[in-house]
Structures are given as structure tokens and as C-alpha cells.
């Protein structure tokens, strides 16, 4: 297989691609998904072996900021990307899961990887791997690193898939910096049943003498991160201790620094492009890490950083649907979409919604059966004037609309199951704006049905 050149890698998915390329890519993804009997099997041996056969592309990556945590990883990366690109930098991004198309996981120098380039890349990796057992995330992460190593960029923003210590992205000897976003209970069947154990897994991306920037954390988590930083010789900077971000009276973000190693001046930035009070924290964490990590190698002008921050986008995160097929059903009613799916995410969403509408909302939700839906519904109940439930199409692990409605009813809430998003929107109370939430899989389905795919 011939190497893919950088021009091919970054070609736009909207220019000249056809159904054949998309089909090739999907067929390759289907074959790769069948190489391991388990979807998730944490460990690094298979990843390192495959990377070695590919020529160790992880040793030829651009300067990398590695991000782990439970909530907010994508938002922090979206902020960093927007700020870096605002300063004229070329930025790669690796994130997961995707909402609508796998291509969303691999962004090369600003553009999603094209279907043709993705198909070529996956087929190349498939040929080199053969029939060796490897999980889907392991083999696609190796493919992404191969792509990143072949396309020039100033920065790679690398998101963990699950955990940290044993995650397939955790193969770098010395990243430029690491970031740990808020840690909460999630994926307990893989990472552990208590916050300390989960934090131990997430902190595995720390490296000796490499700065790590942490969000403000639960006390148990903070203690675990601090202990791991001491053990590994990591330089740890923590929100609420070393720096503080808050919304100033003029609506801007003000970041003050208590640690002179970061700065001895307060930084003022415009409000972020992403909605929600929690995005002040995410943007402050992103700006602090980016400026400190790149400060010695790039001149990052605050004006350009601020302009970039205001342009940040992250589909499926308090995203207003202001065009598309579904909006045509609503006669001017506002529709918002968010992928919040656990208790921490639901609380952040509920705290953000009053800034958009200070009243009751119609909540349309769908959820997986991997956690008790009551954990998500309890915070949501505070703003719900009407609850309509959905079975997430194409997801075997989805709770049925009836099961989710029954859970809501058991809490004393009024909830009705519906057959489709179209049906739900048709019966939505015209007196309330609509928030669709409960799962990133549902968010992807909504964007597909609305014909507004992420770009």
C-alpha cells in the first residue's frame, strides 16, 4: 500500500468524494471491529505491537497535549483548538466517540479526514496487522497516529478513549503537557467502583517533569492526583489552587494565577463560544494549559487567543439547532441538543439552561442501559415541564422509550414514551423550548435526522 500524502489526508469530505469511498471506509471499519471478541479490553501490549509494525508513528507526532477525565474532555479540546487556530497554528485532533461519522474522530490540520483517505489508511493498517487480535479502538488509534505522523501540524490534541493508564492513546514518552478534566463515576465496570480508583486510572497519562493541568476536583480525586504526581515527578497545576477562572462583571472570562510559575498577571478573555457556566471552567483550564505549554515555542497573542475562543464549536454540547429538517417541525420553537448522559453532565446542563430560558423545558431524552437512569433524571427533573422518551435507534444497549418513561414515572415525574424524534417534536408543548439529551448516541441520531452533520 502506498503511503498517503498530506494533501490527500486533509482533503475535504465535501469535495469530490463519492459513495464508493464511504463504503470502503465503512467496510474496513466493520472488518477491524471483528478482530477482537470484546469491544473493550484495556491494555497496551497489542497497541505497542501494532505501532511497532507500522514504524512507530507515535514517535513522529507533532507536539501533543494529552487529555483525560470523565466530563468536559471534548469541550476543553474544542477550546484549545479554537484558540490555537486563532493564533494561526495547524492543529490535529483525535477524539471519541463520533456522533455521526467515524471521520469526526480524526481531524488533520483543521479538516476532518476524507472518506477516501480514511479508507486507504484503514486498509493499510489492516494489511499490516493481518488477523492479529486487536480491539477496534486500538487499531483505529494506531491508524490515527499514522495519519498524524504524515501530515504537518504545530499541535496534536489527543483525547483518551477510556481511563488513562491502559488506554491505547497512552503511548507517548513525553507529551508537551497533560490535562485532566473533572473526574466522576463513569464506566465503573472497567475503571473501578470508587472515585480514588477511577482517578488512579485517569492519572496514568501523567509523565515525569511534564506539566499536568487539572480541573477542580472532588477531594478524594484531588488527593489521588496529587499523590500520583508526587510519585511520577509530574508538575501538577490545579484549578482552584494554582489558578482560578471566573466570569467577570462585563461577561468576559478572568483567569487569576496564584502560582507564579504560570503567570504573575490576570488574563482576560472574551466569553467562550460554547454555552453554559461550566464552559468558563473548561475554557480557563484550556487557556492556562495551552498558553503555558506553547508559551516557549510560539507567541500566542491574547487578542488572537480571545478571538479564537469566541469561535469555539463542539457539536452536541448545548448546541442550538437553528436549521435542518427537524427544526421545520417546530414553528419557531427553540431546539437545543446536548450529549449529557451521567449525573455530573446532567447537573452542568441544568445549571446552564436558565441562561438560555429561565423557565420550564420540554425534555426529550434517550439513554443506555449501562447506568441507572434515575441518576440522570433527578437533576433534569428540576427544569422539566414535559418529558418525552425515545428508544435510541440502532443501539442494542438503549433503554426502550417505555422503560425510560417508567423510570421517570417512578420518581413522580410525568413522562410519555414516543416512537421517534419526529413524533416527539410533534407533541412537544409549544409553551416550552426543547432540550434533547441523555446520550451522545442520541445526539448523533438527532444530527443525522436533522441533516446537519458535524464538519
Amino acid at each position: 500500500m502506498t503511503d498517503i500524502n498530506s494533501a490527500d489526508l486533509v482533503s475535504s469530505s465535501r469535495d469530490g468524494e463519492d459513495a464508493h469511498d464511504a463504503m470502503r471506509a465503512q467496510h474496513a471499519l466493520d472488518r477491524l471491529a471483528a478482530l477482537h471478541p470484546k469491544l473493550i479490553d484495556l491494555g497496551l501490549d497489542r497497541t505497542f505491537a501494532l505501532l511497532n509494525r507500522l514504524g512507530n508513528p507515535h514517535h513522529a507526532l507533532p507536539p501533543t497535549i494529552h487529555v483525560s477525565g470523565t466530563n468536559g474532555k471534548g469541550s476543553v479540546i474544542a477550546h484549545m483548538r479554537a484558540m490555537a487556530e486563532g493564533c494561526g497554528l495547524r492543529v490535529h485532533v483525535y477524539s471519541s466517540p463520533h456522533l455521526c461519522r467515524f471521520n469526526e474522530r480524526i481531524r488533520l490540520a483543521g479538516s476532518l479526514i476524507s472518506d477516501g483517505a480514511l479508507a486507504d489508511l484503514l486498509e493499510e493498517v489492516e494489511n499490516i496487522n493481518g488477523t492479529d487480535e486487536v480491539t477496534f479502538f486500538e487499531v483505529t488509534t494506531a491508524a490515527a497516529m499514522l495519519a498524524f505522523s504524515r501530515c504537518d501540524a504545530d499541535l496534536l490534541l489527543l483525547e483518551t478513549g477510556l481511563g488513562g493508564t491502559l488506554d491505547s492513546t497512552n503511548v507517548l514518552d513525553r507529551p508537551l503537557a497533560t490535562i485532566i478534566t473533572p473526574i466522576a463515576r463513569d464506566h465503573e465496570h472497567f475503571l473501578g467502583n470508587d472515585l480514588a480508583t477511577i482517578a488512579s486510572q485517569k492519572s496514568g497519562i501523567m509523565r515525569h517533569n511534564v506539566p499536568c493541568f487539572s480541573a477542580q476536583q472532588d477531594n478524594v480525586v484531588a488527593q489521588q492526583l496529587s499523590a500520583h504526581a508526587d510519585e511520577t515527578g509530574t508538575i501538577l497545576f490545579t484549578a482552584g489552587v494554582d489558578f482560578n477562572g471566573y466570569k467577570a462583571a462585563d461577561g468576559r472570562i478572568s483567569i487569576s494565577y496564584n502560582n507564579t510559575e504560570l503567570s504573575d498577571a490576570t488574563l482576560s478573555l472574551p466569553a467562550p463560544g460554547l454555552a453554559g457556566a461550566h464552559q468558563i471552567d473548561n475554557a480557563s483550564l484550556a487557556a492556562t494549559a495551552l498558553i503555558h505549554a506553547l508559551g516557549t515555542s510560539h507567541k500566542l497573542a491574547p487578542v488572537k487567543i480571545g478571538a479564537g475562543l469566541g469561535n469555539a464549536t463542539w457539536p452536541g454540547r448545548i448546541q442550538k439547532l437553528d436549521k435542518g429538517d427537524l427544526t421545520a417541525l417546530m414553528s419557531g420553537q427553540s431546539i437545543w441538543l446536548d450529549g449529557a448522559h451521567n449525573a455530573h453532565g446532567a447537573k452542568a446542563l441544568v445549571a446552564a439552561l436558565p441562561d438560555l430560558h429561565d423557565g420550564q423545558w420540554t425534555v426529550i431524552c434517550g439513554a443506555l442501559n449501562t447506568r441507572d437512569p434515575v441518576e440522570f433524571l433527578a437533576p433534569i427533573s428540576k427544569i422539566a415541564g414535559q418529558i418525552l422518551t425515545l428508544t435510541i435507534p440502532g443501539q442494542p444497549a438503549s433503554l426502550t422509550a417505555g422503560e425510560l418513561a417508567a423510570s421517570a414515572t417512578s420518581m413522580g415525574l410525568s413522562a410519555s414514551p414516543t416512537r421517534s424524534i419526529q413524533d416527539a417534536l410533534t407533541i412537544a408543548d409549544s409553551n416550552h423550548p426543547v432540550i434533547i439529551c441523555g446520550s451522545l448516541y442520541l445526539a448523533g441520531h438527532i444530527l443525522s435526522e436533522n441533516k446537519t452533520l458535524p464538519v
Side-chain angles (χ1 to χ4, degrees):
M1 177 69 68
T2 303
D3 280 359
I4 306 166
N5 64 54
S6 60
D8 289 336
L9 282 168
V10 299
S11 60
S12 170
S13 63
R14 293 166 291 179
D15 296 333
E17 287 190 356
D18 56 26
H20 175 68
D21 286 332
M23 187 175 296
R24 282 177 55 222
Q26 187 57 56
H27 286 172
L29 290 168
D30 291 342
R31 292 192 300 270
L32 293 171
L35 289 175
H36 196 289
K38 296 180 181 179
L39 179 63
I40 298 172
D41 185 12
L42 295 177
L44 291 173
D45 291 345
R46 291 180 299 271
T47 299
F48 276 121
L50 178 54
L51 288 170
N52 184 59
R53 292 199 294 276
L54 293 172
N56 293 310
H58 59 302
H59 292 158
L61 300 176
T64 301
I65 297 179
H66 197 188
V67 183
S68 78
T70 304
N71 293 294
K73 297 190 296 294
S75 294
V76 167
I77 286 175
H79 288 309
M80 284 196 291
R81 176 193 159 212
M83 288 185 286
E85 290 181 341
C87 294
L89 303 185
R90 291 162 55 86
V91 184
H92 294 333
V93 177
Y94 185 60
S95 61
S96 61
H98 59 277
L99 295 179
C100 302
R101 298 196 309 154
F102 182 89
N103 310 56
E104 298 165 33
R105 299 187 181 209
I106 303 175
R107 186 176 292 275
L108 296 158
S111 298
L112 299 185
I113 190 169
S114 67
D115 284 331
L118 177 61
D120 288 345
L121 184 72
L122 295 173
E123 288 169 358
E124 178 181 359
V125 173
E126 182 182 25
N127 288 339
I128 291 173
N129 180 75
T131 59
D132 286 358
E133 194 173 88
V134 62
T135 70
F136 181 79
F137 188 73
E138 289 165 350
V139 71
T140 52
T141 297
M145 290 188 175
L146 190 61
F148 295 139
S149 72
R150 292 173 173 175
C151 182
D152 291 337
D154 301 297
L155 179 67
L156 166 60
L157 303 175
L158 182 67
E159 181 186 348
T160 57
L162 185 64
T165 300
L166 301 177
D167 186 78
S168 297
T169 62
N170 195 29
V171 294
L172 305 186
D173 294 329
R174 189 175 176 81
L176 192 64
T178 60
I179 294 177
I180 301 178
T181 66
I183 292 173
R185 294 181 184 275
D186 204 11
H187 300 294
E188 292 94 334
H189 46 305
F190 293 109
L191 301 179
N193 293 316
D194 60 275
L195 282 177
T197 303
I198 295 171
S200 177
Q201 286 292 319
K202 303 282 187 181
S203 67
I205 66 169
M206 290 183 182
R207 293 293 187 269
H208 175 70
N209 210 32
V210 171
C212 177
F213 299 85
S214 171
Q216 194 163 0
Q217 306 282 2
D218 176 276
N219 287 338
V220 171
V221 172
Q223 291 171 9
Q224 180 60 47
L225 297 186
S226 179
H228 193 76
D230 290 342
E231 181 182 338
T232 56
T234 297
I235 309 162
L236 180 63
F237 300 106
T238 303
V241 178
D242 299 292
F243 62 96
N244 292 280
Y246 56 92
K247 185 177 181 179
D250 61 0
R252 293 171 63 88
I253 295 177
S254 185
I255 309 175
S256 60
Y257 295 99
N258 307 321
N259 190 321
T260 55
E261 288 187 45
L262 292 173
S263 176
D264 55 6
T266 297
L267 179 64
S268 177
L269 296 172
L274 303 183
H278 58 293
Q279 296 298 357
I280 301 295
D281 295 333
N282 289 334
S284 301
L285 177 60
T288 299
L290 185 73
I291 292 169
H292 186 78
L294 291 178
T296 57
S297 56
H298 294 83
K299 293 182 179 180
L300 303 181
V303 172
K304 292 184 177 179
I305 289 174
L309 180 61
N311 292 327
T313 61
W314 188 224
R317 281 72 174 184
I318 313 187
Q319 176 186 0
K320 186 174 185 180
L321 302 183
D322 51 13
K323 60 181 180 180
D325 289 5
L326 296 180
T327 62
L329 301 174
M330 296 304 292
S331 301
Q333 244 175 298
S334 295
I335 308 177
W336 295 81
L337 176 66
D338 192 78
H341 55 278
N342 56 28
H344 186 279
K347 290 174 183 176
L349 175 61
V350 169
L353 290 180
D355 288 338
L356 305 175
H357 170 73
D358 190 15
Q360 296 293 290
W361 290 70
T362 290
V363 177
I364 300 176
C365 56
L368 300 185
N369 60 15
T370 52
R371 62 174 56 85
D372 186 349
V374 170
E375 296 177 8
F376 177 83
L377 290 168
I380 292 292
S381 66
K382 298 175 183 178
I383 52 89
Q386 177 186 30
I387 297 178
L388 303 173
T389 61
L390 291 170
T391 304
I392 304 172
Q395 288 300 322
S398 174
L399 290 168
T400 67
E403 289 169 336
L404 188 54
S407 291
T409 301
S410 72
M411 301 168 61
L413 303 174
S414 176
S416 303
T418 61
R419 294 177 299 175
S420 69
I421 183 58
Q422 289 82 1
D423 285 351
L425 291 174
T426 300
I427 64 173
D429 188 332
S430 60
N431 295 315
H432 304 317
V434 172
I435 178 68
I436 305 170
C437 56
S439 169
L440 285 170
Y441 292 109
L442 178 60
H445 170 70
I446 298 304
L447 292 174
S448 295
E449 289 293 295
N450 198 46
K451 295 184 172 59
T452 49
L453 304 184
V455 295

